[in-house]
Amino acid sequence: MSLPHAILTALLEKPSSGLELTRRFDRSIGYFWSATHQQIYRELGRLEEAGHIRALPSPVPARGQRKEYEVLPAGRESLREWVGAAEDPKPLRSALLLRMRAAAVVGTAGLRAELERHLALHRAQFEEYAAIEERDFPAGRRTAEPDRLRHLVLRGGIELERFWLEWLGAALEELGPGE
Amino acid sequence: MSLPHAILTALLEKPSSGLELTRRFDRSIGYFWSATHQQIYRELGRLEEAGHIRALPSPVPARGQRKEYEVLPAGRESLREWVGAAEDPKPLRSALLLRMRAAAVVGTAGLRAELERHLALHRAQFEEYAAIEERDFPAGRRTAEPDRLRHLVLRGGIELERFWLEWLGAALEELGPGE
DNA sequence: CCGAACATGTAAGAAGTTACATGATTCT
DNA sequence: AGAATCATGTAACTTCTTACATGTTCGG
């Protein structure tokens, strides 16, 4: 039940059309809750139906016509409740850890290259985050609470990538010099 | 496409019935790929259909009757291919990070208690992992490759929990002494 | 023989993914 | 007018979740 709240958050940060939301889910919000445009349009329909958002009045509400949405009070309230609600963390699901365990049983053929590929992907993501941090949260500047919270979220992303870099490094070392 | 491979791995480690698998997915394998008994029975059916596993001959193959499965060569081969296949990491999805970002917009009411609850859950998981490590991989003992790989997987789980403990600690500090 | 635990399943629906369809606008 | 891009949507399918259904075995 996170997607509607992700959309509400994005729309509160800035009213947008479905396509704009899709683009923002390819960066920013999408860094910790991804969604495709199909999911987003479907969910926009549901949120409007539920009275949590509304389409801004537009001259021609037709297909192919841009439709911009804004959050209604009921939507903001729903989001506020969700922030403090009790919701257990989902159990971890990592295909890579699983594959490592499978490798313990059927052998490590091909695994080394795959780990190196993942290492490169995580390195790129890490650097992207680091660049955002440098741009938006430069060291030594005092920031207001909303910004401090957003920085905290970004730090989470950064440290998770650091975790993967370290784990992949250890795994490659464990596998030895290779094929 | 990870669940069938998770099941193949578990069955190679030890042939089991559906219920036994379910129990093992509540610990062990389930620490990084969770599944319910409904998913497991359905997938066992598909794997059998595909000729990747087979039910051990039993006198009475009826409903309510225990059915034990073992992996066939085709299943082992499929697992071996998967270990080295190219499969991108799934983008991160964390409802907690998302909620933190929502809190930056609608306020942090109730968030502190929720973060403390998560902290306790992650602390418990961390300690469970640490106990397993101490039991199965005591320091200073030389182990064979399969065990070293399994240890690597466990280290991944441990370090991920450590990440959450640290991030939650930082978040609570950021939120200040409370409500 | 009754209840608890064991064991395997069915059904319905929500969430997520992939492929495709359609209309509007803008640039050449 | 045609092509590219913007923009919204449908359809079909897979996966995951939640609730329920049914039969077996074993201890008291």
Side-chain angles (χ1 to χ4, degrees):
Chain A
M1 287 284 299
S2 295
L3 179 57
H5 299 107
I7 291 178
L8 287 173
T9 303
L11 287 181
L12 281 169
E13 289 174 356
K14 174 170 163 25
S16 304
S17 68
L19 192 61
E20 276 170 5
L21 279 177
T22 301
R23 295 202 206 294
R24 293 170 63 197
F25 271 81
D26 285 339
R27 355 170 226 104
S28 190
I29 295 273
Y31 287 146
F32 40 88
W33 202 273
S34 63
T36 62
H37 85 268
Q38 293 88 340
Q39 280 179 281
I40 289 169
Y41 284 117
R42 176 150 36 99
E43 200 60 46
L44 283 172
R46 288 178 190 164
L47 284 166
E48 188 175 23
E49 174 95 15
H52 286 188
I53 62 175
R54 63 163 189 155
L56 291 182
S58 104
V60 197
R63 192 185 178 116
Q65 234 12 299
R66 186 190 144 85
K67 221 171 19 172
E68 186 148 17
Y69 291 94
E70 69 173 7
V71 177
L72 295 172
R76 178 182 283 269
E77 183 50 34
S78 150
L79 189 60
R80 180 157 35 218
E81 276 168 28
W82 184 65
V83 163
E87 197 172 274
D88 285 351
K90 290 250 158 125
L92 168 65
R93 273 200 174 169
S94 165
L96 200 57
L97 290 179
L98 185 57
R99 285 206 272 177
M100 181 70 63
R101 173 117 170 200
V105 180
V106 298
T108 59
L111 187 54
R112 190 181 173 78
E114 181 65 358
L115 293 178
E116 275 163 357
R117 210 173 60 82
H118 280 238
L119 186 62
L121 292 170
H122 284 291
R123 189 137 45 207
Q125 187 66 69
F126 178 84
E127 273 155 21
E128 193 176 335
Y129 286 161
I132 293 173
E133 184 179 33
E134 197 169 336
R135 188 193 66 199
D136 291 354
F137 307 99
R141 216 191 55 199
R142 189 96 193 92
T143 48
E145 165 154 278
D147 276 347
R148 292 207 310 276
L149 293 180
R150 272 190 283 270
H151 190 185
L152 206 48
V153 174
L154 181 59
R155 291 300 312 168
I158 289 175
E159 292 306 320
L160 270 174
E161 293 304 328
R162 190 196 307 283
F163 156 77
W164 281 112
L165 293 178
E166 281 170 11
W167 185 82
L168 285 164
L172 283 165
E173 196 167 326
E174 183 64 52
L175 279 188
E179 320 282 68
Chain B
M1 288 285 297
S2 294
L3 179 57
H5 299 108
I7 291 177
L8 287 173
T9 303
L11 286 181
L12 280 170
E13 289 174 356
K14 175 170 162 24
S16 304
S17 67
L19 192 60
E20 276 169 6
L21 279 177
T22 301
R23 295 201 205 294
R24 292 170 63 196
F25 270 81
D26 285 337
R27 356 170 225 102
S28 190
I29 295 273
Y31 287 146
F32 40 89
W33 203 274
S34 62
T36 62
H37 83 268
Q38 292 88 340
Q39 280 179 279
I40 288 169
Y41 283 117
R42 177 155 30 98
E43 201 59 48
L44 283 172
R46 289 179 190 163
L47 284 166
E48 189 174 23
E49 175 96 15
H52 287 186
I53 62 175
R54 64 162 187 155
L56 293 182
S58 102
V60 198
R63 191 186 179 115
Q65 237 8 301
R66 186 190 145 85
K67 222 170 17 174
E68 185 149 17
Y69 291 94
E70 68 173 8
V71 177
L72 295 172
R76 177 182 284 266
E77 183 50 34
S78 151
L79 189 60
R80 179 158 35 220
E81 276 167 27
W82 184 65
V83 164
E87 197 172 274
D88 284 351
K90 290 250 158 124
L92 168 63
R93 274 201 173 167
S94 165
L96 200 57
L97 291 178
L98 184 57
R99 286 207 271 177
M100 182 70 62
R101 173 118 170 199
V105 180
V106 298
T108 59
L111 187 54
R112 190 180 174 76
E114 181 64 357
L115 292 178
E116 276 163 357
R117 211 173 59 83
H118 281 238
L119 186 61
L121 292 170
H122 283 291
R123 188 138 44 206
Q125 188 65 68
F126 178 84
E127 273 156 21
E128 192 177 334
Y129 286 160
I132 293 172
E133 185 178 35
E134 196 168 337
R135 188 193 67 201
D136 292 354
F137 308 99
R141 217 192 54 199
R142 189 96 192 94
T143 48
E145 165 154 276
D147 277 347
R148 292 207 310 274
L149 293 180
R150 272 189 284 270
H151 190 184
L152 206 48
V153 174
L154 181 58
R155 292 300 310 168
I158 290 174
E159 293 305 321
L160 270 173
E161 293 303 327
R162 191 195 307 283
F163 156 77
W164 281 112
L165 292 178
E166 282 171 10
W167 184 82
L168 285 164
L172 283 166
E173 198 168 324
E174 184 64 52
L175 279 187
E179 319 281 66

